[in-house]
Amino acid sequence: LNTKMTVGSYGLIRNATTLYLKNENDDFNLKLNYNRTHSDGYRDNNEYDREGFTVLGKIKSDKKNETTIFGNFTALKAFIPSSLNRDDFENEPEKAAFTWGRVMGFEDYDRILAGLSHKSELTTWGDISVTNRSSIFANLRNSYEVRPFNILEENSQSYGFRTSFDLDKKASPMRPFPMFSVGMEFFKQDYKWQTYETNTSGDLGSTLSNNVEDRIYYNFFTQYHKKLTDELALLAGANLNN
């Protein structure tokens, strides 16, 4: 268990706590981290708050199977002082830009990243092994941003997976490329965003735009790698994506 705190000028307080767990055989390890940062900021309309939690772990059920997990949650609210003209920068650099200060412009978002990956050695032929690597992931984000010219509200959900089958020599697991690979990946995103008029006080006004975007991507790929000499290698590949 490790914890650390930093205190600085302009109300800066930052702390981070990490818990690391592992067993003697090193076939299980887990790292948990919590961090929080607050700052009043040097400038007007410059307050900053960020909170985050991260988990990273690895489990080896046996010599041929390994699973990795990752997760991250971030909550942030940051007020935006924006840019200054030259005169204000030289004489009152702590000021916020007039329009941004008037509406108390800021960005506020929550974000979640998560992933799960599994590596498995399926079979062996002599000194050649066949390995599968598969992973799934998700990314969720909600955002609300107040600006002098409009208010932006966003909601994004992304997820996908990737899998590949690799043929390689068992004695060369750290090579940059396996001898032969074939696989596919898939990605989907649902993205919604709206803009609204900004009232003088920075409150939500009437709707300016309302947008929905859906993206779907997939890719099939294959790759061949052959080391011809110590200084020369052949790398060939092909893919089909849409």
Side-chain angles (χ1 to χ4, degrees):
L1 177 66
N2 176 275
T3 185
K4 180 170 62 176
M5 175 175 284
T6 303
V7 179
S9 303
Y10 310 109
L12 173 65
I13 300 176
R14 178 187 297 121
N15 59 66
T17 301
T18 301
L19 177 64
Y20 184 58
L21 305 170
K22 61 179 292 187
N23 62 2
E24 294 180 355
N25 300 326
D26 200 25
D27 53 17
F28 167 81
N29 63 70
L30 182 67
K31 181 180 289 188
L32 305 173
N33 174 268
Y34 170 79
N35 60 83
R36 187 177 188 277
T37 301
H38 169 81
S39 173
D40 295 331
Y42 167 70
R43 300 176 60 192
D44 297 334
N45 201 56
N46 198 192
E47 187 176 340
Y48 178 91
D49 284 285
R50 184 181 188 274
E51 194 171 19
F53 180 78
T54 301
V55 56
L56 179 64
K58 182 172 67 175
I59 302 172
K60 293 182 180 179
S61 55
D62 53 47
K63 292 183 178 180
K64 295 185 176 183
N65 291 276
E66 179 180 297
T67 302
T68 303
I69 61 170
F70 170 77
N72 173 260
F73 169 76
T74 302
L76 177 140
K77 185 172 184 179
F79 287 84
I80 305 171
S82 196
S83 55
L84 295 173
N85 59 43
R86 185 183 183 92
D87 182 64
D88 286 337
F89 173 73
E90 292 178 346
N91 297 288
E92 297 180 274
E94 72 280 359
K95 287 179 58 177
F98 173 75
T99 53
W100 285 82
R102 185 180 63 174
V103 300
M104 298 183 64
F106 67 87
E107 180 179 12
D108 186 358
Y109 73 74
D110 296 327
R111 184 180 67 183
I112 298 175
L113 297 171
L116 175 69
S117 178
H118 184 76
K119 174 185 174 183
S120 177
E121 185 178 310
L122 301 178
T123 187
T124 59
W125 296 317
D127 65 341
I128 302 297
S129 66
V130 181
T131 302
N132 174 256
R133 292 177 173 86
S134 297
S135 59
I136 57 175
F137 62 89
N139 181 359
L140 310 176
R141 187 177 188 272
N142 290 322
S143 175
Y144 186 84
E145 186 173 354
V146 175
R147 306 177 289 191
F149 42 89
N150 63 28
I151 292 175
L152 173 65
E153 191 170 13
E154 296 176 293
N155 180 278
S156 176
Q157 301 177 8
S158 306
Y159 47 89
F161 71 89
R162 173 187 171 93
T163 185
S164 67
F165 295 87
D166 305 328
L167 277 71
D168 206 353
K169 292 186 177 181
K170 290 191 292 183
S172 307
M174 300 302 294
R175 295 198 309 168
F177 303 103
M179 294 172 53
F180 178 77
S181 294
V182 61
M184 73 163 296
E185 55 189 2
F186 173 84
F187 171 83
K188 188 177 189 304
Q189 181 185 38
D190 300 322
Y191 178 45
K192 300 176 182 178
W193 57 282
Q194 298 83 32
T195 57
Y196 304 90
E197 288 184 345
T198 309
N199 295 333
T200 306
S201 58
D203 295 328
L204 202 68
S206 58
T207 302
L208 296 174
S209 64
N210 187 7
N211 305 274
V212 176
E213 301 178 24
D214 295 319
R215 301 182 178 96
I216 297 177
Y217 167 87
Y218 57 84
N219 178 36
F220 298 92
F221 58 88
T222 182
Q223 183 171 278
Y224 174 74
H225 178 256
K226 174 69 174 176
K227 189 173 182 180
L228 303 177
T229 68
D230 290 340
E231 299 179 349
L232 184 65
L234 172 67
L235 183 65
N239 74 353
L240 170 67
N241 62 72
N242 186 54

